[in-house]
Amino acid sequence: MSGMASDHNTSSQEEYIPNYLQKGDPFASKLSREADIIAGFYLTVIGILSTLGNGYVIFMSSKRKKKLRPAEIMTVNLAVCDLGISVVGKPFSIISFFCHRWMFGWIGCRWYGWAGFFFGCGSLITMTAVSLDRYLKICHLSYGTWLKRHHAFICLAIIWAYATFWATVPFAGVGSYAPEPFGTSCTLDWWLAQASVAGQVFVLSILFFCLLLPTAVIVFSYVKIILKVKSSTKEVAHYDTRIQNSHILEMKLTKVAMLICAGFLIAWIPYAVVSVWSAFGQPDSVPIQFSVVPTLLAKSAAMYNPIIYQVIDCKFACCRSGGLKAKNSLKKSRTYTISAHRDSMVMNETQLE
């Protein structure tokens, strides 16, 4: 009987061994060398475009930093988060993909996992703050007018503190960072949910406070905005021209914010689904070749925002150093740019050939 109990205890302990420690070298690539090279080139392109795009947004906004509106300050913070992911994180994974294994050991793995989670969480919480700002500006005009620059800076402090707390919690012994199933990247140790109740609490807490709750706030804000837009025309018509022009401006900013949030969530939700499945599903239920696709898609999120700014040609005024005068010629293809003025905001229509 004692021998059976011993065997049972041994099997139970083996069951709790993380998946990445059961197959030899946890940092050896589980993909083919050709697949690693393709992934390395893909991340290189993503990293270059993201660095140049977000760096440009930050550089242009720095030229008029004293004139940035609260919404623009939040946008710059989003660019800082995206640039941080590109500069701090991507070189590690790019080198590892080309070398066909993770090259930086456990210390580098934990640093990479922390940096990715820190900047990713910062991006999502920033977009949550942007969505709430849009909600107040569009749905509660009387409340939105009191949001000033110092409120934005207070919000930034809360965002960075929030991201720092959740990214650092794993180092307190309640979680960890570990290699991805394919070996050449690192992330939160989702497999802790297989080990104990404490691991499940950790994973569920991360999911709720760093994904589900912010996403719910974003969805709520934009659903309320969409419903409000249907009646906003009649409501705003009672105000003077200045308020009407300001409202049009806020709507344009809201459309861009919606696209940014949609791009981020589309990039990250597949990764979150696969991570949850790995945490609470059967071990090895997610094929390694399949798990790498959501990871690469999530790493591309930092590239989307500058592209959205350019496509919409609405750079939150942080890429405009002065006002633009409206052109009178009418053409078929049109877009809108926002020019910032000291006393009022006016919408100018720019004609494209």
Side-chain angles (χ1 to χ4, degrees):
M1 293 294 292
S2 60
M4 293 178 61
S6 176
D7 293 340
H8 178 73
N9 292 335
T10 301
S11 62
S12 298
Q13 292 175 359
E14 291 178 353
E15 183 181 351
Y16 293 152
I17 296 177
N19 187 50
Y20 52 83
L21 293 179
Q22 296 179 8
K23 299 180 179 179
D25 187 356
F27 297 130
S29 176
K30 309 305 187 296
L31 304 174
S32 66
R33 186 171 295 275
E34 292 76 13
D36 276 335
I37 292 175
I38 293 174
F41 275 115
Y42 169 80
L43 288 182
T44 300
V45 173
I46 294 296
I48 292 173
L49 293 177
S50 175
T51 300
L52 293 176
N54 290 292
Y56 175 75
V57 172
I58 295 171
F59 172 74
M60 294 304 293
S61 64
S62 66
K63 291 185 175 182
R64 54 183 306 275
K65 56 185 177 182
K66 294 183 179 180
K67 297 181 180 180
L68 294 177
R69 303 167 67 238
E72 298 165 0
I73 294 173
M74 303 279 48
T75 304
V76 173
N77 190 64
L78 185 59
V80 170
C81 292
D82 291 341
L83 184 64
I85 292 175
S86 301
V87 174
V88 176
K90 283 187 173 59
F92 288 84
S93 55
I94 290 172
I95 293 172
S96 297
F97 273 117
F98 281 126
C99 293
H100 198 49
R101 65 173 287 110
W102 179 257
M103 298 297 296
F104 306 98
W106 281 103
I107 294 178
C109 181
R110 294 185 178 98
W111 159 252
Y112 177 87
W114 180 90
F117 186 40
F118 172 72
F119 288 115
C121 182
S123 294
L124 183 57
I125 303 304
T126 299
M127 285 185 286
T128 304
V130 170
S131 68
L132 287 174
D133 174 75
R134 298 294 89 209
Y135 170 70
L136 290 174
K137 289 291 179 66
I138 301 301
C139 299
H140 301 281
L141 294 176
S142 58
Y143 292 96
T145 55
W146 65 265
L147 292 174
K148 305 299 181 183
R149 281 171 57 93
H150 66 275
H151 295 122
F153 289 116
I154 293 174
C155 188
L156 289 185
I158 295 174
I159 290 171
W160 288 112
Y162 193 90
T164 300
F165 172 79
W166 285 108
T168 309
V169 160
F171 294 128
V174 297
S176 182
Y177 294 100
E180 298 268 17
F182 48 88
T184 48
S185 181
C186 294
T187 184
L188 280 168
D189 192 350
W190 300 103
W191 298 271
L192 285 174
Q194 302 276 353
S196 63
V197 174
Q200 293 177 0
V201 171
F202 165 73
V203 171
L204 290 174
S205 298
I206 291 291
L207 288 173
F208 179 77
F209 289 104
C210 299
L211 179 63
L212 297 180
L213 180 60
T215 301
V217 173
I218 291 172
V219 172
F220 167 82
S221 299
Y222 289 123
V223 167
K224 296 293 287 185
I225 288 172
I226 292 172
L227 295 176
K228 184 69 175 180
V229 165
K230 295 181 179 180
S231 59
S232 63
T233 303
K234 294 181 180 180
E235 218 174 283
V236 176
H238 296 89
Y239 295 95
D240 59 25
T241 304
R242 178 180 174 180
I243 295 180
Q244 291 180 22
N245 290 335
S246 179
H247 184 70
I248 294 173
L249 167 65
E250 300 299 343
M251 290 304 303
K252 293 298 176 183
L253 295 175
T254 300
K255 291 178 181 179
V256 177
M258 290 176 69
L259 286 175
I260 291 173
C261 292
F264 184 91
L265 294 177
I266 290 172
W268 278 97
I269 284 179
Y271 177 78
V273 171
V274 171
S275 298
V276 172
W277 188 266
S278 299
F280 296 99
Q282 294 296 322
D284 299 325
S285 59
V286 179
I288 292 178
Q289 292 77 7
F290 178 77
S291 67
V292 71
V293 176
T295 301
L296 295 178
L297 179 62
K299 292 180 185 298
S300 68
M303 180 191 67
Y304 297 153
N305 297 342
I307 294 177
I308 292 173
Y309 303 151
Q310 297 298 326
V311 170
I312 303 298
D313 196 24
C314 176
K315 303 171 186 176
F316 293 92
C318 66
C319 296
R320 302 296 187 202
S321 58
L324 297 177
K325 293 184 178 180
K327 298 181 180 179
N328 294 323
S329 58
L330 296 177
K331 305 215 175 160
K332 291 183 179 180
S333 296
R334 298 187 300 178
T335 187
Y336 295 91
T337 58
I338 299 171
S339 60
H341 293 278
R342 182 173 301 177
D343 298 324
S344 64
M345 301 299 296
V346 295
M347 182 65 65
N348 298 318
E349 186 175 297
T350 300
Q351 312 302 329
L352 295 182
E353 297 185 6

